[in-house]
């Protein structure tokens, strides 16, 4: 979704009514929303603002449960043993679509879930400490080439989008680097600040640290430069034919009643466009990318095809 669509989508969303007892007896108790990353990162910040807005929309509390680990697949795995009553739903990040093509998993991303609502994606970037000698991405590449196997680059999880993208970048430059996976941005960033790694491929949760002068951004992975860091080049500007955003949405267990899916989507759509939540998206430089159940289902199928092809191309199939 282009950024110019965000404002229009937000205006449209403000007209949506709240979902609650006035319209249906669903929901009549709290809804649990499982997310795939630990507290403290960009996903956690976005999802907690989203849950607050969804609580207002539904008239029932939406409770965040952090379920990190498993390559960001734990919430998806949990849906396999969850009642399809609409009271427990899961974040469905890109690794949950990709990982089943890399190793044996207990679910099929194409067939084993009920798509509800697509939400947003990440602004990814490569960051270093401000004390780092790397002033630009070219500096990092040159040093990595001069010191094969010595440069440590963190990421937000093994086989996640930052990890695989950094593999692609290293391959394009013929670099030998050490990829260091963490459980999420909240773990990777402290390791970077502490000097345990030289750089990190991470998300937009680093915004405040960059503004505080603790981190430096070497590149961003979006289609256009970030409004926040207008002097930082994109991967495309650096000569790589890559735009990486790692979109995600919400799914439920297989077999949910269409009426429950519709009501969930209405409430989540209202929450997505809630002004307080939109402000958090802007602060984190995350796009608003609403899709309803049918469009999101088609998106998952399309993305699964793309990720299966990517895994094959990189030789990552287990």
């Amino acid at each position: 979704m282009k950024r110019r669509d965000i404002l229009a989508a937000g205006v449209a969303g403000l007209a949506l009514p709240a979902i609650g007892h006035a319209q249906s007896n669903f929901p009549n108790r709290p809804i649990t929303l499982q997310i795939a990353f630990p507290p403290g990162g960009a996903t956690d910040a976005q999802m907690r603002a989203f849950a607050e807005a969804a609580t207002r929309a539904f008239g029932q509390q939406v409770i965040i449960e952090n379920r990190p680990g498993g390559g960001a697949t734990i919430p998806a795995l949990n849906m396999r043993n969850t009642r399809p009553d609409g009271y427990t739903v899961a974040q469905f990040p890109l690794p949950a679509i990709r990982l089943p093509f890399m190793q044996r998993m207990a679910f099929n991303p194409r067939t084993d879930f009920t798509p509800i609502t697509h939400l947003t994606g990440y602004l990814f970037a490569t960051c270093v400490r401000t004390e780092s000698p790397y002033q630009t991405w070219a500096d990092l590449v040159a040093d990595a080439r001069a010191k094969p196997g010595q440069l440590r680059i963190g990421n937000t999880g093994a086989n996640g989008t930052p990890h695989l993208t950094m593999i692609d970048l290293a391959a394009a430059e013929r670099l030998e680097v050490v990829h260091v996976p963490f459980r999420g941005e909240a773990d990777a960033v402290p390791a970077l600040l502490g000097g345990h790694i030289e750089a990190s491929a991470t998300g937009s949760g680093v915004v405040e640290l960059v503004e505080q002068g603790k981190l430096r951004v070497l590149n961003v992975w979006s289609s256009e430069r970030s409004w926040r860091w207008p002097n930082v080049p994109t991967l495309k500007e650096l000569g790589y034919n890559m735009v990486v955003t790692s979109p995600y949405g919400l799914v439920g267990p297989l077999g949910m009643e269409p009426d429950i899916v519709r009501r969930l989507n209405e409430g989540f759509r209202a929450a997505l466009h809630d002004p307080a939540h939109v402000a958090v998206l802007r602060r984190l430089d995350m796009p608003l990318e609403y899709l309803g159940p049918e469009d999101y289902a088609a998106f998952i199928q399309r993305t699964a095809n793309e990720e299966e092809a990517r895994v094959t191309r990189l030789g990552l199939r287990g």
Side-chain angles (χ1 to χ4, degrees), residues 98-117:
R98 177 190 305 125
L99 206 57
F101 301 117
M102 300 177 65
Q103 63 189 59
R104 187 178 297 277
M105 300 287 292
F107 64 84
N108 184 327
R110 292 186 173 105
T111 61
D112 290 351
F113 303 95
T114 300
I116 302 171
T117 309

Side-chain angles (χ1 to χ4, degrees), residues 16 49-51 53-55 57 266-275 277-278:
L16 291 171
F50 176 76
T55 294
E266 289 173 355
F268 289 144
R269 182 185 179 198
L272 184 63
H273 294 87
D274 184 287
H277 176 251
V278 171

Side-chain angles (χ1 to χ4, degrees), residues 23 34 36 140 180 196 208 269 303:
Q23 291 180 271
Q34 296 185 4
L140 184 150
V180 184
H196 304 292
E208 292 185 5
R269 182 185 179 198
T303 303

Side-chain angles (χ1 to χ4, degrees), residues 124-127 137 169 217-221 232-235 238 240:
F124 286 122
T126 306
C127 296
W137 171 250
L169 291 173
V217 182
L218 301 185
N219 56 43
V220 294
W221 303 1
V232 176
T234 66
L235 292 179
L238 292 171
Y240 310 103

Side-chain angles (χ1 to χ4, degrees), residues 13 24 34 43 59 62 123 213 246 273:
S24 169
Q34 296 185 4
T43 307
V62 176
L123 172 71
S246 196
H273 294 87

